[in-house]
Amino acid sequence: MLSVIRPRRSLFVKYFTTLFVAVVVPLLLGSATEAWFAFRDNRYDLDELLRVEARSAADRIQAFTDGIRDQLGWVVQFPWTQGEDDRRRIDGLRLLQQVPAIVSLSMVDPTGTERVFVSRVSMNRTGAGADMSEDPAVIGARANRVWYGPVHYRRDSEPYMRIAVAGNRAAAGIVVADINLKLIWDIIASIKIGDTGHALVVDDSGRLIAHPDISLVLRSGVGAGDFNRLKSEVSAADGAAVTTTGEDGKPVVALSVPAPNVGWTVIAQQPALEAFESIRAALWRSLILIGLGIVFALVLAYWRACRMWGPIRQLEAGVERIGMGQLDHRITIQSRDELEQLAVRFNQMAEELAVSQHKSERINRLKQFLAPQVAELVEHSDQRLLDGHRREVVAIFGDLRGFTAFSARAEPDVIIAVLREYYEAIGAVTERHSATLIRFAGDGVMVLVNAPVACDDPAERGVRLAIDMQAAVQSLADSWNARGWAIGFGVGIAMGPATVGTLGWHGRLDYTAIGSVVNLASRLCGLAEDTQILVDPVVTGHVKGSIGLASIGERTIKGYDHALEVFAVARTGAPVRRTSPELDLVS
């Protein structure tokens, strides 16, 4: 333990004398530093504000185009069949009602022939029409399933674009939609940056697509050169804000973000005069403070003496590093005053935290593969229990039946939900019996009894654990089967010597067992049918007087030279499936 050092002289007297003499110079340096950091922070905040607004507009534009793409995808989800032009026409009219941005739809069959055309501004038509197989929209949709066309202007005013979507199968055909982009104005008009800042959208050629002043959009090519120049300068900054000249010729701070899929550029900008207003105000405040500091040097020296810059900054840095997990960090302050005493106390606290964390990490690592009460016992006992050694163990393997077929048909979230229920049930039973959960492997589980902590009558404990495990999983299986999922559960148990201990690499260690008993338990699990618990002759010899078992005959086990008589637990809360004409009960 570090000894506590009493201060020899007053902290206030020592710092007040030094800071009173040097108060003016630190004040000047502090003001300059504050001004620099204020400028940097302001510029960073401005960059973040512009980036957030531009990204928000780009995301909403993507949501706009993705929504139209998804709606179009519903029209081409089924193959073309004879006599369904009217149904397709009705689907198209319904889509025009649901999506106001869609002006017209062309539905093209697999041969590239337009079969249905519906529009808000033109006559609808059905039947074999124009050959669109060479249309860029059809070619692009066939190649990439979704095709976004360039922006074009009708009557040289309103912006439009074409979107083509192909079905999942070639027989479903292709739908080509004409989209009115004037609706994107709502997205851009809602963005306000400061008092007068705004966002705008241009295409890859610099033509204006959306602007808060919609008259600029409706005039199409007017000012396209300015917008193209603005796009080029901002895009060259690669995502950073730049100071440039806006479309009205005034200095602005602007930042661009690409809009996914469509190749547009979203530009967020704010007038430079407004953007840097806070910086100018901060500079004026700094000048006033410097003047006041020179006049009232005595007061400022007193204030700065009380602040105790250096040591407290060091303590703050130490606290930050400790908070980041660097518990080996130590603070060295040789001021011979209260701050040195505080540093000593701080170092003592860090040392105690390191010891506590190390102990907590050991227990948490043990709890990854041991029941909590077993982990606590190992932690407070001989740590060599986890080292590699030879021991008589009971190995238990469990595996879901029918899970592979179920997982091939079910959705991922359903599979995860079933496995979560399964894992929780197995974990609860294992913890209740103070056994060691070695691992989960997909739908399989491995449990050890009598390692690393020895127990009385491990064979009987292992069989009863398996019975409870089977009952818990069968309870879940009833609900699964009620939902149409044919899932069962089989268990295999074997007893014998095995090498147990921790294996792994660096910080990733697992407790496991190696030996023929493990292989045998796994093979028995593979032989077990739904609701069955199969045990080897060794376990049978230990528990036949207390637990009802039934012989299912000799079985050829992979890796063994001769057949092995296998027994099944006769009462597990579910009927034992007989695989031989007659079962001999073992009593």
Side-chain angles (χ1 to χ4, degrees):
M1 297 292 292
L2 298 174
S3 59
V4 178
I5 302 176
R6 299 296 180 185
R8 295 184 177 180
R9 50 187 183 274
S10 170
L11 177 67
F12 174 81
V13 172
K14 182 174 62 176
Y15 281 91
F16 177 82
T17 303
T18 303
L19 294 175
F20 177 76
V21 176
V23 67
V24 175
V25 174
L27 181 60
L28 291 172
L29 293 176
S31 299
T33 303
E34 186 68 23
W36 163 249
F37 282 108
F39 173 81
R40 189 188 66 175
D41 293 342
N42 179 267
R43 187 57 185 262
Y44 176 80
D45 293 340
L46 178 60
D47 285 9
E48 285 300 306
L49 173 62
L50 295 175
R51 183 174 292 107
V52 168
E53 295 295 348
R55 175 53 61 190
S56 173
D59 290 344
R60 292 167 68 183
I61 290 172
Q62 183 182 11
F64 172 81
T65 57
D66 287 351
I68 294 176
R69 179 202 64 195
D70 294 340
Q71 291 287 349
L72 294 175
W74 284 103
V75 180
V76 288
Q77 47 181 333
F78 300 109
W80 280 91
T81 58
Q82 292 294 333
E84 68 165 356
D85 291 358
D86 286 339
R87 184 184 65 79
R88 295 271 183 164
R89 181 181 62 82
I90 293 172
D91 289 344
L93 293 174
R94 185 182 297 115
L95 186 57
L96 290 183
Q97 293 178 348
Q98 294 175 348
V99 186
I102 299 179
V103 177
S104 63
L105 287 174
S106 292
M107 301 183 191
V108 182
D109 66 13
T111 67
T113 303
E114 182 185 72
R115 295 280 292 277
V116 176
F117 174 82
V118 293
S119 173
R120 301 181 190 275
V121 296
S122 301
M123 295 292 294
N124 300 335
R125 57 181 181 267
T126 58
D131 181 8
M132 298 181 62
S133 59
E134 297 302 319
D135 191 293
V138 174
I139 296 174
R142 282 176 174 170
N144 303 309
R145 191 172 178 270
V146 180
W147 176 84
Y148 298 93
V151 177
H152 60 277
Y153 291 78
R154 289 190 178 179
R155 297 181 296 276
D156 205 32
S157 59
E158 296 182 4
Y160 287 77
M161 74 174 294
R162 299 172 75 199
I163 298 178
V165 177
N168 291 328
R169 293 171 291 180
I174 297 170
V175 60
V176 182
D178 224 359
I179 310 300
N180 189 341
L181 299 180
K182 189 170 65 175
L183 298 179
I184 296 180
W185 178 82
D186 293 334
I187 298 174
I188 298 303
S190 65
I191 295 177
K192 299 293 183 183
I193 303 173
D195 294 330
T196 59
H198 61 270
L200 56 95
V201 182
V202 295
D203 65 9
D204 55 355
S205 65
R207 299 186 72 181
L208 188 62
I209 298 174
H211 191 283
D213 184 1
I214 196 170
S215 64
L216 296 178
V217 179
L218 298 180
R219 284 183 288 171
S220 180
V222 177
D226 290 335
F227 290 117
N228 192 34
R229 183 229 359 122
L230 178 62
K231 168 185 172 294
S232 300
E233 292 178 358
V234 178
S235 298
D238 196 23
V242 296
T243 302
T244 183
T245 303
E247 67 268 18
D248 56 359
K250 296 180 180 179
V252 296
V253 181
L255 181 145
S256 69
V257 170
N261 299 332
V262 292
W264 302 342
T265 300
V266 179
I267 301 175
Q269 62 181 28
Q270 186 178 19
L273 191 65
E274 177 183 332
F276 298 120
E277 175 62 29
S278 60
I279 295 297
R280 290 193 296 274
L283 289 175
W284 278 110
R285 287 194 299 270
S286 296
L287 290 175
I288 294 173
L289 288 176
I290 290 174
L292 292 175
I294 295 174
V295 175
F296 301 103
L298 179 62
V299 176
L300 293 176
Y302 176 84
W303 174 73
R304 290 183 66 83
C306 295
R307 291 294 301 271
M308 298 173 289
W309 261 63
I312 286 190
R313 291 285 296 274
Q314 189 174 355
L315 284 171
E316 289 177 350
V319 171
E320 183 179 359
R321 294 182 66 175
I322 291 296
M324 294 170 61
Q326 301 178 19
L327 299 181
D328 59 342
H329 177 67
R330 298 293 180 266
I331 296 177
T332 303
I333 297 179
Q334 299 179 350
S335 57
R336 312 299 291 178
D337 53 32
E338 295 88 349
L339 287 176
E340 184 173 349
Q341 183 179 358
L342 181 60
V344 172
R345 296 292 188 187
F346 180 89
N347 291 337
Q348 292 174 351
M349 178 195 70
E351 185 176 331
E352 292 171 358
L353 283 175
V355 173
S356 177
Q357 184 189 52
H358 182 64
K359 180 178 179 181
S360 177
E361 288 175 351
R362 288 200 309 267
I363 295 179
N364 289 338
R365 184 171 62 86
L366 291 174
K367 287 181 180 179
Q368 291 178 357
F369 47 82
L370 301 178
Q373 61 269 32
V374 179
E376 294 287 346
L377 177 61
V378 172
E379 171 61 22
H380 295 94
S381 302
D382 190 351
Q383 292 295 315
R384 290 176 296 178
L385 285 173
L386 298 181
D387 294 339
H389 61 282
R390 196 76 169 168
R391 170 168 290 187
E392 186 86 357
V393 300
V394 176
I396 305 172
F397 276 78
D399 188 71
L400 292 178
R401 299 293 178 259
F403 184 81
T404 301
F406 158 75
S407 62
R409 296 189 304 270
E411 295 295 329
D413 54 341
V414 175
I415 297 172
I416 293 300
V418 168
L419 286 177
R420 185 177 290 113
E421 292 178 340
Y422 169 56
Y423 290 169
E424 289 175 355
I426 293 296
V429 172
T430 304
E431 182 177 340
R432 189 165 64 246
H433 286 268
S434 299
T436 303
L437 181 59
I438 299 301
R439 65 175 178 270
F440 285 113
D443 59 322
V445 62
M446 175 181 175
V447 178
L448 280 186
V449 178
N450 205 41
V453 179
C455 63
D456 296 329
D457 199 359
E460 182 175 350
R461 177 176 293 197
V463 174
R464 296 198 180 280
L465 184 153
I467 293 173
D468 288 353
M469 185 187 299
Q470 184 67 265
V473 177
Q474 289 301 328
S475 176
L476 295 175
D478 291 339
S479 65
W480 297 336
N481 292 328
R483 285 178 276 182
W485 306 332
I487 302 176
F489 184 63
V491 181
I493 310 175
M495 182 175 183
T499 300
V500 295
T502 53
L503 292 175
W505 178 75
H506 286 288
R508 179 65 172 93
L509 295 175
D510 288 323
Y511 186 83
T512 188
I514 301 173
S516 60
V517 64
V518 176
N519 297 331
L520 178 57
S522 176
R523 300 284 188 263
L524 292 176
C525 177
L527 292 174
E529 298 179 359
D530 179 25
T531 74
Q532 275 193 323
I533 301 175
L534 300 185
V535 300
D536 69 342
V538 177
V539 174
T540 302
H542 284 81
V543 304
K544 62 183 180 181
S546 57
I547 298 176
L549 300 174
S551 174
I552 64 172
E554 293 186 345
R555 293 290 184 272
T556 300
I557 306 296
K558 183 179 178 181
Y560 288 78
D561 296 333
H562 52 83
L564 187 70
E565 186 175 13
V566 179
F567 299 84
V569 176
R571 301 178 184 86
T572 63
V576 177
R577 298 182 178 179
R578 298 176 179 268
T579 57
S580 59
E582 191 70 33
L583 293 179
D584 299 324
L585 290 179
V586 179
S587 58

